[in-house]
Each structure stands twice: as C-alpha cells, then as structure tokens.
Amino acid sequence: MTENLKPKTSNIRKVALLWPQRLRVMLELFTVIFIVSALIIIIRYDLVAKQSQSLRNFMVQHIGTYGFTLDDVYISGHNRTLASDINQALQLKRGDNFFEISPALIKHRLENLPWVRDVTVKRSFLPNILQIHIKEKEVLALWQLNGRLYPLDYDGYVIEAEYRPAESVLLVIGQEAPEHLNELLTMIKNIDETYLQRLKAANYISQRRWNLIFDNLDNGVTVKLPEDNTVAALTKLINLDKKTSILKRKLTIIDLRLDGKMVIKMRKSRGK
C-alpha cells in the first residue's frame, strides 16, 4: 500500500517544468489587471489632467518671480466709457503675474460695459504691456417711449447709459420701433443726404408701417407710408419734391398709403 503513495519522479519533473510557465502567465495576468485598473482610475478621476493642471499652476505662479509681471496697460478707442469703469472692470495693477492675466476674461468684462461694442486685447513681452483697444457703440437714433428717450445702436439695441446728443439725432417712436430699425434704414439708405438731414422722426404705426416727419417735429410735414412698396412710394415722393418742392409747402400730411394716389392735407392759416 505504501508503494502506491510514493510520487512518481516523472510527475515531479513535469510540475517543475510547468511552474515557471504558470508563474509567467500569472504575472502577465496581474500586469494586465493592474494596467486596466490604473487606466480606469485615471479616466474616472481625471488624474492626468489634474496633475498637468497642478504643474501648470505651479509654473505660472513662480514664473512671475523672474520678471514676468505686468508693467503697464495701454487703452485706446474709448470716448464715452469712463476710465473709472474701465479700471473697475480690469481689476489689474502693476506687478500682477503677467501669465495669470486672461485676455479672454478682460475682453468679456469690458464688453459688458454699456458703451463698449468690441474689445481687442494683446500682450507684449519685455516690457510686459497689455494693449487694449475698445470699439464703442454709435448712436443711430433715439427711441421715445412713455415720455423717455433711449439711445439705440446700429443693431437697434438700447444702450443702457445716459446720453446727451451733441447734434441732431433721428427720433423713432412706437412700441416696436427698435425691432424694425433696420427695416427703416434699408428704406431710407438710398435717398439723398439732404433729405436724410431733413428727416427728424420716424413713427412706427400699429406695428406695421412708418410715418416720416420732415423738417420740424412740431409743424413739419408728416409722410404716411404704405405697408408695402415703401421704397417705391418714398422715391416717387422725393422725385416729385425735386421738381415741385412739395415738402416745403404749407402742408401737414402727405398720405401715400393708397396705391397710385397721393392725399395731402393743407396747413390751416392763422386766424381761420
């Protein structure tokens, strides 16, 4: 019975030969499992990005000690925007780390100021100067609503700032006049400059058409334009005025709403 329990020499040799192979397979398996697990952890917790960001922050914070600090800020293009408002938006001072200054953030902050339309920000090194060019909004018209006047830019948007016109500015009236300002500009863009100067106000009527007031807001001539074919109607009137000076006559209304017809209303004489 004891002889049957003795291990055979051939089996021992086989196991001895197979063990290194099994060990290699196990090591390879554990290596694959480790790599896959590490990748899962890195992807899940974004460790590479965090380490890269930490290294970048470290470099940016310490590079300022080697001469890369803000020396000066040059600003151009601003006329209506106050310097105090610009400084408050910039939140910069000499000696700030030049690499921690974000041109995109500066652009965003300045473009939130009411008069600023567009901003260009450039950095130049040694000396470390920030160059800022501001393009301001231009007032195209004044919008009259509920007894108040609001400046409008070329896109028809209200400029949320105080404005005192230094010269004559077109007055637009009506609840939805700003939304249809481009429509008005398209309509009058081809008329002579002399008539543009004489145009004092445009009233958007019933959310569908325009009345134009020439020469004087109080006692000028009101031209009632049709809903459709407005350019043709206005061009016809101007051509007639060049021949007859009808806009300078004692009229209060010229009604062009009827196709092919012109209805006029004379100004009442004093004492009658």
Side-chain angles (χ1 to χ4, degrees):
M1 294 293 291
T2 56
E3 291 182 7
N4 293 334
L5 294 175
K6 288 182 180 181
K8 297 180 180 179
T9 306
S10 60
N11 291 338
I12 294 175
R13 288 176 178 176
K14 288 181 180 179
V15 171
L17 292 173
L18 290 174
W19 175 248
Q21 183 179 355
R22 291 177 179 177
L23 180 61
R24 186 174 65 254
V25 172
M26 291 176 64
L27 289 174
E28 291 177 352
L29 181 59
F30 280 123
T31 301
V32 171
I33 294 173
F34 175 79
I35 293 173
V36 172
S37 301
L39 287 174
I40 292 174
I41 293 173
I42 289 172
I43 293 172
R44 182 174 180 179
Y45 296 101
D46 199 16
L47 296 181
V48 173
K50 290 180 179 178
Q51 290 299 324
S52 299
Q53 185 64 32
S54 297
L55 179 60
R56 178 186 177 278
N57 293 340
F58 176 82
M59 293 177 63
V60 168
Q61 289 172 4
H62 287 79
I63 202 169
T65 61
Y66 296 96
F68 289 97
T69 56
L70 178 64
D71 292 320
D72 212 340
V73 179
Y74 295 156
I75 304 172
S76 61
H78 62 291
N79 294 310
R80 298 188 184 278
T81 307
L82 298 178
S84 57
D85 292 337
I86 294 175
N87 291 331
Q88 185 175 359
L90 290 178
Q91 300 179 13
L92 296 174
K93 63 182 182 298
R94 287 187 178 90
D96 284 346
N97 191 316
F98 203 47
F99 285 95
E100 288 185 335
I101 297 172
S102 170
L105 180 58
I106 289 174
K107 176 180 173 68
H108 174 72
R109 287 174 176 172
L110 291 176
E111 287 179 350
N112 282 331
L113 297 177
W115 281 109
V116 177
R117 180 184 181 86
D118 185 53
V119 175
T120 302
V121 182
K122 294 182 180 180
R123 288 190 291 192
S124 60
F125 295 87
L126 303 176
N128 305 318
I129 296 173
L130 202 64
Q131 297 177 331
I132 301 174
H133 179 71
I134 295 175
K135 184 177 181 181
E136 293 185 320
K137 299 173 184 177
E138 296 183 25
V139 178
L140 178 65
L142 285 176
W143 178 35
Q144 180 177 302
L145 182 68
N146 299 326
R148 293 187 60 186
L149 296 177
Y150 302 89
L152 299 177
D153 64 13
Y154 275 76
D155 296 319
Y157 294 113
V158 174
I159 302 173
E160 299 291 348
E162 294 185 4
Y163 174 71
R164 294 180 181 179
E167 55 186 17
S168 179
V169 179
L170 176 65
L171 180 69
V172 293
I173 307 166
Q175 186 69 35
E176 296 184 4
E179 290 89 333
H180 295 269
L181 185 59
N182 285 330
E183 172 190 311
L184 174 66
L185 296 179
T186 301
M187 180 175 62
I188 66 176
K189 68 178 181 179
N190 292 324
I191 67 175
D192 296 349
E193 183 66 26
T194 54
Y195 289 95
L196 288 177
Q197 294 176 357
R198 294 173 62 185
L199 180 61
K200 302 302 179 183
N203 192 355
Y204 194 60
I205 304 295
S206 302
Q207 302 178 359
R208 57 190 176 88
R209 66 174 193 84
W210 290 94
N211 282 353
L212 304 183
I213 302 175
F214 288 90
D215 296 329
N216 192 288
L217 290 175
D218 296 324
N219 55 8
V221 180
T222 299
V223 177
K224 296 185 177 183
L225 295 173
E227 293 183 49
D228 303 315
N229 300 319
T230 54
V231 175
L234 184 58
T235 301
K236 184 177 180 180
L237 174 64
I238 289 175
N239 290 336
L240 179 62
D241 182 71
K242 290 178 180 179
K243 298 177 182 179
T244 64
S245 299
I246 188 172
L247 290 173
K248 292 184 178 180
R249 296 184 182 182
K250 295 181 180 181
L251 306 177
T252 57
I253 295 174
I254 299 177
D255 194 341
L256 304 176
R257 291 176 295 174
L258 298 177
D259 188 24
K261 295 183 179 180
M262 180 184 296
V263 179
I264 62 175
K265 183 177 180 180
M266 300 293 295
R267 189 179 307 280
K268 293 182 179 181
S269 300
R270 294 181 179 179
K272 292 186 180 180

